[in-house]
Amino acid sequence: MNLKIVLRSLGILLICEAIALLPPTLVAFLYQDGDLPAFLITISIVLAVGATLSFIKPTSKNIYARDGFAIVAMGWLLMSFFGAFPFYISGAFPSFIDSFFESSSGLTTTGSSVLTAVEGLPHGILFWRSFTHWIGGMGILVLTIAILPSLGAGSMQIMKAESPGPIVGRIVPKLGKTAKILYSIYLGITLVEVLLLCLAGMNVFDAFIHALGTVGTGGFSNMNASVGYYNSALIDWIITIFMIVCGVNFSLYYLIFKGNMKTFFKNNELRVYLCILLGAILLITFDLLARNTYGSFGEALRFSSFQAASVMTTTGYATTDFNEWSMFSKMILLILMFVGGCAGSTAGGLKVARAIICFKSIKHSLKQIVHPNGYYSVRMDGKKIDDKTVLSVLNYFFIYMIIFTIGIIIISLDGFDFTTTLTSVITTLNNIGPGLGLVGPTGNFSAFSDVSKLVFSILMIIGRLEIYPILLLLTPDLWKKN
């Protein structure tokens, strides 16, 4: 590993985090809630550390695969660590572990919280909670590549290590331009949602909070009752639509700007994603109607659409306590928690693309048994998926289940009920937010031990980085010199 280029890249990343702390600092200055010193102190510390590391002069600027994975893994750990400082220094959280949990939850766009009440928090802290979703959604490292192309010729290794999904590529030849296009689309969608939420009746601050959480598919709200506080069908539908939009591969939106609508709608993953979501919405809607949970089809459709979209895109907003729904509806939501959104989106979960590849691989394996001399290849969008990618997807599922099992065993030591223990691991590893039981939409993670909160924090980062970067930190070969 080229340690000098890794440390220098981490320094640049921390400088970017210091810059990202400026908007909440401005909010703290405008509202004068007493949290301004916490942001100024944090910026000073992060800048000092970042500047020191950025002055390191590497002998080579090339970033290889090992370096890329190391930068991503250590970068997200450092980002979460320093991102916790405003929470802790301001006194908004009782301990640094709680602050680290909240910071990890924000940057990984999970949206799980240890807070029992949020409405009394300073405006700057509330904005920072939601802004971490936004910068973590598309990826702070992708942003770094967009604004600082001096990282070196191996920047693609960083993007591959950080971007969610089994297949990562450029949408234009230059990687820096690719990152800029993605962030331009990202910013545009955010501003459109802010405008619509304001027109729907939210004040500007609330609109920004919920737009940042929606587009980043994170789910932190500044209201204890989440989006349900507003009790507005219009707000619910606006956020529902934008959650669905942000669960789609952002690279596909570039096709729309290029006028290639046909290719956009022919995308295999997009169609499967929409079919799964539509099927889940209809099943939950009719189940809610059959059990008289809501008085009309329109009302049942509104709540089922919002919660299905929120869970599948791993946003985590809530308009109702789905803990009170039937077991059938909750099982559908549980399945959506595992599936997640599309590869290349801000959503978490296993990803629809992986599910498609896995099912097609199983189908071809069965065909191979019947016709042993035949040759079958997995294809998506008319293109052959190479055997290496298929194998990596299958390996991912296997490693995922191992981590999932270990997580459940450790968390079970806290002695909570089966539903709470199981879904708390599911919701943190898949970056969802609320689960079922004590960690449901009206609950939180405050009752768990400090050890469990640290485990949850690591699970959230593992889930956001899709396992490999964090596991590679434990591999001795990663630390060998190139």
Side-chain angles (χ1 to χ4, degrees):
M1 181 172 67
N2 187 346
L3 185 59
K4 287 186 177 180
I5 192 66
V6 170
L7 292 176
R8 180 176 178 270
S9 299
L10 292 174
I12 295 171
L13 176 62
L14 289 178
I15 291 173
C16 287
E17 182 174 25
I19 295 171
L21 282 159
L22 293 178
T25 303
L26 177 61
V27 172
F29 174 76
L30 292 175
Y31 282 92
Q32 293 293 317
D33 290 334
D35 53 341
L36 181 59
F39 286 105
L40 295 177
I41 292 170
T42 301
I43 290 174
S44 300
I45 295 172
V46 175
L47 268 181
V49 177
T52 301
L53 293 176
S54 66
F55 284 135
I56 295 174
K57 300 294 182 183
T59 53
S60 171
K61 286 189 176 183
N62 290 325
I63 300 175
Y64 299 101
R66 287 189 298 173
D67 307 324
F69 279 103
I71 291 167
V72 168
M74 290 190 284
W76 277 84
L77 289 169
L78 282 175
M79 284 279 295
S80 299
F81 177 76
F82 286 111
F85 279 32
F87 297 143
Y88 183 62
I89 296 172
S90 67
F93 291 79
S95 70
F96 189 79
I97 290 177
D98 283 351
S99 302
F100 180 69
F101 178 99
E102 204 79 7
S103 175
S104 301
S105 181
L107 286 166
T108 59
T109 73
T110 303
S112 300
S113 181
V114 294
L115 292 171
T116 55
V118 297
E119 291 178 20
L121 290 178
H123 285 77
I125 293 298
L126 287 172
F127 190 87
W128 176 236
R129 284 176 83 234
S130 294
F131 195 54
T132 54
H133 286 331
W134 198 83
I135 60 177
M138 186 61 70
I140 184 64
L141 288 159
V142 176
L143 174 62
T144 304
I145 292 169
I147 63 177
L148 292 172
S150 61
L151 272 178
S155 296
M156 186 63 190
Q157 301 299 337
I158 296 176
M159 197 166 184
K160 283 182 178 180
E162 186 186 35
S163 299
I167 305 168
V168 179
R170 299 175 172 91
I171 57 179
V172 292
K174 292 184 178 181
L175 182 59
K177 190 174 180 181
T178 295
K180 289 175 183 176
I181 289 171
L182 290 174
Y183 258 99
S184 296
I185 296 169
Y186 194 54
L187 177 61
I189 293 173
T190 305
L191 294 177
V192 170
E193 186 182 358
V194 169
L195 176 61
L196 291 176
L197 288 176
C198 287
L199 293 175
M202 277 193 185
N203 63 52
V204 175
F205 182 80
D206 287 9
F208 267 102
I209 292 293
H210 290 91
L212 293 172
T214 303
V215 180
T217 60
F220 277 150
S221 174
N222 58 330
M223 299 298 173
N224 294 331
S226 189
V227 179
Y229 167 86
Y230 300 95
N231 193 27
S232 166
L234 180 57
I235 288 175
D236 288 357
W237 281 115
I238 290 171
I239 294 178
T240 298
I241 291 169
F242 276 90
M243 286 191 293
I244 296 171
V245 165
C246 294
V248 175
N249 188 330
F250 273 78
S251 298
L252 291 179
Y253 294 124
Y254 184 64
L255 296 176
I256 296 178
F257 289 116
K258 297 289 288 185
N260 198 349
M261 295 291 291
K262 186 177 179 181
T263 304
F264 176 86
F265 286 108
K266 284 180 68 177
N267 182 266
N268 191 206
E269 185 184 26
L270 173 65
R271 288 186 293 178
V272 172
Y273 163 73
L274 293 175
C275 286
I276 293 173
L277 186 55
L278 178 61
I281 289 171
L282 291 176
L283 286 172
I284 294 174
T285 298
F286 288 117
D287 181 55
L288 294 174
L289 282 174
R291 300 174 191 276
N292 295 315
T293 307
Y294 298 104
S296 67
F297 176 80
E299 194 177 17
L301 181 64
R302 166 190 164 191
F303 287 105
S304 65
S305 298
F306 188 97
Q307 292 309 150
S310 180
V311 169
M312 187 168 183
T313 63
T314 70
T315 305
Y317 281 137
T319 53
T320 187
D321 185 4
F322 53 76
N323 255 331
E324 303 299 322
W325 288 1
S326 72
M327 184 57 67
F328 176 78
S329 291
K330 287 191 287 188
M331 284 302 103
I332 292 175
L333 291 179
L334 190 66
I335 293 169
L336 295 181
M337 287 181 186
F338 280 106
V339 176
C342 298
S345 71
T346 57
L350 290 168
K351 301 293 184 298
V352 175
R354 283 198 181 92
I356 294 172
I357 292 172
C358 189
F359 277 109
K360 286 189 174 184
S361 178
I362 293 170
K363 177 184 175 182
H364 292 156
S365 295
L366 293 174
K367 282 187 177 181
Q368 196 79 51
I369 293 173
V370 179
H371 306 286
N373 295 323
Y375 175 75
Y376 305 97
S377 61
V378 176
R379 305 181 75 86
M380 282 186 68
D381 301 319
K383 299 177 182 178
K384 179 186 173 182
I385 303 297
D386 60 81
D387 294 338
K388 183 179 178 182
T389 300
V390 174
L391 181 61
S392 72
V393 168
L394 298 177
N395 286 340
Y396 183 89
F397 276 105
F398 180 70
I399 298 171
Y400 174 93
M401 291 310 300
I402 291 175
I403 294 173
F404 177 65
T405 303
I406 293 172
I408 289 175
I409 292 172
I410 296 174
I411 301 304
S412 67
L413 294 173
D414 275 4
F416 292 107
D417 62 274
F418 178 78
T419 299
T420 297
T421 301
L422 179 71
T423 60
S424 65
V425 175
I426 293 173
T427 195
T428 48
L429 183 56
N430 290 315
N431 305 137
I432 297 162
L436 298 171
L438 293 178
V439 294
T442 61
N444 56 73
F445 286 72
S446 61
F448 287 92
S449 66
D450 285 347
V451 172
S452 290
K453 289 173 185 175
L454 285 174
V455 171
F456 285 137
S457 300
I458 299 301
L459 287 176
M460 288 187 278
I461 296 173
I462 287 175
R464 173 60 180 82
L465 299 183
E466 309 217 317
I467 299 175
Y468 291 112
I470 297 297
L471 289 189
L472 284 172
L473 284 182
L474 306 177
T475 306
D477 286 345
L478 182 74
W479 301 96
K480 293 180 179 177
K481 291 185 177 180
N482 292 338

